Amino acid sequence: MSEGRELKLETSWKQRVGSYLERPEMRALSGFLRERKQQGRVIYPRGSRIFAALDTTPFDAVKVVILGQDPYHGPGQAHGLCFSVLPGVAVPPSLENIFREIERDLGLPRPDHGWLVPWARQGVLLLNAVLTVEQGQAGSHQGKGWEGFTDACIDALNREREKLVFLLWGSYAQAKGKLIDTRRHRVLKAPHPSPLSAHRGFLGCGHFSATNAWLAEAGMASIDWRLPPRSELPTDAQ
């Protein structure tokens, strides 16, 4: 996948999954993306942010994995981390419910933005199953090849790391996480935080306190789920 080389996949991830980008199905995906762009389709996130989740959370830094489905498909939303949006963009409903549960679970106030990079920099891998989408068309790039690549990322973590926490919200994430070895890792499941399902068990799941309890038991630093106020974010936040 020539685009993968241009995007300079983060070194520790490239060592594990870089070769996957050269597979025929990934070359076909690269061709599909080029063709759609030539047809005038708007694709999110922009090219330099497609692998942002891996760039922001190197392989050996991962402590927690949150699996999303595909990027937000509205203008200005997606920037390569699942559930996250750029500062100044309205917090989407699913992320609002995540903040509601953090507030209930940990007593932390809801932030005034949805930029989750501070979580990613602490070791929370915010990985979508599908890394691109077309404007206004949710799921438009599903089945085009990304799923195998992100499966390879999860498989590498499952095999080479120990005592990670996988947060699997909704049936899609739970199906994608079916190969995770629960003897080596902690897997927490709940309904998806979308307004359609959050009240079926996501709200009240306690996953954030449970994650930190597991990390402490494993001798790792807990995640600070607070986010700084928007006024304190770097001016070049992306």
Side-chain angles (χ1 to χ4, degrees):
M1 186 177 185
S2 60
E3 191 169 2
R5 287 194 294 268
E6 294 167 6
L7 293 177
K8 298 179 181 178
L9 188 64
E10 192 277 331
T11 301
S12 65
W13 283 106
K14 185 175 183 179
Q15 292 171 351
R16 274 90 180 176
V17 297
S19 61
Y20 195 97
L21 295 176
E22 301 303 325
R23 293 170 63 130
E25 59 266 39
M26 298 305 289
R27 292 181 182 274
L29 171 61
S30 182
F32 167 77
L33 293 174
R34 286 196 301 271
E35 179 182 343
R36 299 304 279 175
K37 289 178 181 178
Q38 290 168 359
Q39 294 172 354
R41 305 287 181 168
V42 177
I43 295 176
Y44 300 131
R46 68 178 189 269
S48 63
R49 300 297 298 173
I50 289 175
F51 294 124
L54 305 180
D55 293 337
T56 312
T57 312
F59 184 85
D60 291 326
V62 175
K63 296 191 289 188
V64 181
V65 180
I66 297 178
L67 292 180
Q69 193 159 341
D70 60 352
Y72 295 122
H73 55 83
Q77 292 181 306
H79 68 113
L81 307 182
C82 74
F83 292 108
S84 182
V85 292
L86 291 171
V89 175
V91 175
S94 292
L95 182 54
E96 183 63 36
N97 282 331
I98 291 172
F99 290 156
R100 286 181 64 190
E101 176 56 18
I102 290 173
E103 181 180 44
R104 187 209 65 81
D105 188 19
L106 300 174
L108 301 177
R110 298 184 209 178
D112 60 356
H113 62 89
W115 192 66
L116 305 183
V117 169
W119 294 358
R121 289 175 176 164
Q122 295 178 72
V124 181
L125 178 64
L126 298 166
L127 184 67
N128 277 314
V130 176
L131 300 187
T132 56
V133 73
E134 290 179 25
Q135 180 175 311
Q137 298 183 46
S140 51
H141 289 184
Q142 290 180 15
K144 301 298 183 182
W146 282 125
E147 292 91 342
F149 173 73
T150 51
D151 277 350
C153 295
I154 295 167
D155 182 60
L157 289 168
N158 179 58
R159 288 183 292 101
E160 295 187 40
R161 298 290 308 281
E162 292 185 356
K163 299 183 178 179
L164 301 181
V165 182
F166 289 84
L167 302 181
L168 307 182
W169 300 331
S171 58
Y172 188 95
Q174 289 163 21
K176 192 168 182 67
K178 64 183 180 297
L179 297 179
I180 299 167
D181 187 347
T182 56
R183 297 167 298 180
R184 294 167 59 89
H185 306 286
R186 182 80 165 110
V187 176
L188 299 175
K189 300 179 181 181
H192 194 275
S194 79
L196 296 175
S197 55
H199 291 281
R200 299 175 188 164
F202 177 80
L203 296 174
C205 68
H207 281 186
F208 303 95
S209 59
T211 292
N212 281 348
W214 171 265
L215 293 175
E217 184 179 328
M220 290 185 276
S222 62
I223 303 299
D224 183 356
W225 297 104
R226 294 173 296 181
L227 292 173
R230 182 181 168 191
S231 61
E232 297 180 8
L233 298 181
T235 56
D236 61 347
Q238 60 177 345

